[in-house]
Amino acid sequence: MVQIENLTKQFDGYKALRGLNLNIKKGSIYGLVGINGSGKTTAIKHLAGIYRQDSGTVTIDGQPVYDNAPLKARVGYIPDELYFFAGYNLSMTSKFYKNMYATWNDSIYNNLISLLQLDERRRLNRFSKGMQKQAAFALTLSTMPEVLLLDEPIDGLDPIVRKDVFRQIIEDVADRGMTVLISSHNLKEMDDICDAVGIIKEGQMVIERDLDDLKTDVHKIQVAFGAEYPPLESTPGLTILHRESRGTVELLVIRGDEEEVSTKIKAMKPLVYDHLPLTLEEIFIYENKEGIQ
């Protein structure tokens, strides 16, 4: 299990993390979302053992991460800003990784290099940003990490490559029980692959839940009444997070039990009542506007 408890971190008086809590089950693909400056990268760098916390705990399988080389050898980390040794090509870099990681798997590496069509003889600093990101995936996944940390991993990757990379990640989760944390602005893609999500705001976790459970707590409803609308906002048991008029039709985002919400609104005898699918992107937008708890 990957766990952060009451984590705080300051930089020159700025509080980047304010008592952050985070819990990721083994074998889970966890999406960490938040606006720029919310603390996502700072939290990930603590899990990678790069930052030492001011207070709180950061553990993997109950062990503290910082200054724990054997534990960090089990963690793969792909940052948003990549770094490679100057003058190294992909072949030289792979040999360095192979010497550093006892878990290195030549078969995975060769399959990924072939799949991604990467030239091992070319210097990495001459790769495009997208090709550098592909190389980072090939190298990191070949170490067979138990925990994989991805900070904005799909920037610069075309849709076909993204599909291939995520297929390998999902296979590793299924076959080896690898635990994955993904921070990304591409919420549609995270909606497709994540089974749990944490929404971070101003250095604190405001929502952390299985994605399916989160979607059952918040509902998007399209409704229309006759000439006179009932007082929806003042109806007990209806917590309206967003309301938008589209002519005679109202689009509502409501928090609560689905059956209770449906019963209360249908009791008002609407002319139209449709329960629409709600995406992770919409949940994120309404959380930052309205403050879903």
Side-chain angles (χ1 to χ4, degrees):
M1 183 175 184
V2 177
Q3 191 167 40
I4 291 175
E5 291 185 310
N6 299 317
L7 176 60
T8 64
K9 185 66 176 180
Q10 291 192 70
F11 298 99
D12 297 325
Y14 171 71
K15 292 184 178 180
L17 298 177
R18 307 163 182 258
L20 178 71
N21 293 293
L22 178 148
N23 300 275
I24 309 176
K25 299 174 184 175
K26 180 176 174 57
S28 173
I29 301 179
Y30 182 105
L32 183 65
V33 299
I35 62 173
N36 289 334
S38 60
K40 301 188 303 297
T41 295
T42 303
I44 292 172
K45 285 185 174 181
H46 279 85
L47 288 170
I50 297 170
Y51 288 160
R52 184 200 293 269
Q53 63 269 32
D54 293 338
S55 64
T57 60
V58 181
T59 59
I60 295 176
D61 293 337
Q63 299 183 48
V65 176
Y66 190 80
D67 205 21
N68 188 340
L71 178 63
K72 288 195 283 187
R74 296 157 47 195
V75 177
Y77 171 46
I78 300 180
D80 185 23
E81 296 293 332
L82 298 172
Y83 171 82
F84 297 105
F85 292 126
Y88 269 42
N89 60 26
L90 185 53
S91 177
M92 296 163 66
T93 306
S94 70
K95 291 174 183 175
F96 174 81
Y97 270 68
K98 187 173 182 177
N99 288 331
M100 290 291 293
Y101 291 92
T103 54
W104 176 268
N105 188 303
D106 281 324
S107 177
I108 292 176
Y109 174 75
N110 291 328
N111 286 339
L112 285 171
I113 292 301
S114 175
L115 179 68
L116 300 173
Q117 299 181 8
L118 294 173
D119 184 354
E120 287 192 278
R121 299 165 297 177
R122 189 175 176 186
R123 289 184 180 181
L124 286 164
N125 59 9
R126 294 186 178 177
F127 278 14
S128 67
K129 181 179 179 181
M131 290 173 64
Q132 287 183 346
K133 190 62 69 80
Q134 292 174 48
F137 270 108
L139 293 164
T140 304
L141 290 174
S142 297
T143 67
M144 299 182 66
E146 295 177 25
V147 175
L148 180 63
L149 308 174
L150 305 174
D151 193 0
E152 298 296 338
I154 58 176
D155 280 3
L157 298 185
D158 63 58
I160 294 175
V161 171
R162 290 204 301 267
K163 184 177 180 180
D164 290 337
V165 167
F166 280 128
R167 182 188 298 116
Q168 180 65 51
I169 290 173
I170 292 169
E171 286 178 3
D172 284 353
V173 170
D175 295 343
R176 302 192 290 106
M178 181 175 70
T179 303
V180 183
L181 182 151
I182 303 175
S183 166
S184 176
H185 287 100
N186 191 327
L187 299 186
K188 183 182 183 306
E189 201 129 32
M190 294 178 73
D191 207 348
D192 292 337
I193 68 167
C194 292
D195 48 52
V197 65
I199 299 180
I200 185 173
K201 186 175 182 180
E202 297 177 352
Q204 295 179 309
M205 189 68 71
V206 293
I207 297 177
E208 185 177 60
R209 219 170 294 172
D210 287 348
L211 190 53
D212 289 341
D213 291 344
L214 181 58
K215 290 182 178 181
T216 61
D217 290 343
V218 184
H219 317 282
K220 183 166 67 171
I221 294 168
Q222 186 172 261
V223 63
F225 294 94
E228 200 171 305
Y229 274 79
L232 294 172
E233 282 86 354
S234 60
T235 302
L238 292 184
T239 303
I240 298 177
L241 304 173
H242 177 78
R243 184 170 184 172
E244 179 181 334
S245 295
R246 298 179 176 179
T248 59
V249 177
E250 295 275 332
L251 182 66
L252 307 171
V253 178
I254 301 176
R255 182 173 68 239
D257 176 78
E258 181 179 353
E259 186 174 346
E260 183 179 355
V261 169
S262 174
T263 299
K264 287 182 180 295
I265 294 181
K266 287 181 178 179
M268 301 173 188
K269 302 188 183 304
L271 301 177
V272 174
Y273 180 91
D274 290 319
H275 196 285
L276 306 176
L278 191 67
T279 66
L280 175 58
E281 184 172 35
E282 289 173 312
I283 292 172
F284 174 69
I285 290 170
Y286 296 133
E287 186 282 323
N288 278 282
K289 282 186 176 180
E290 309 292 343
I292 297 173
Q293 299 297 326

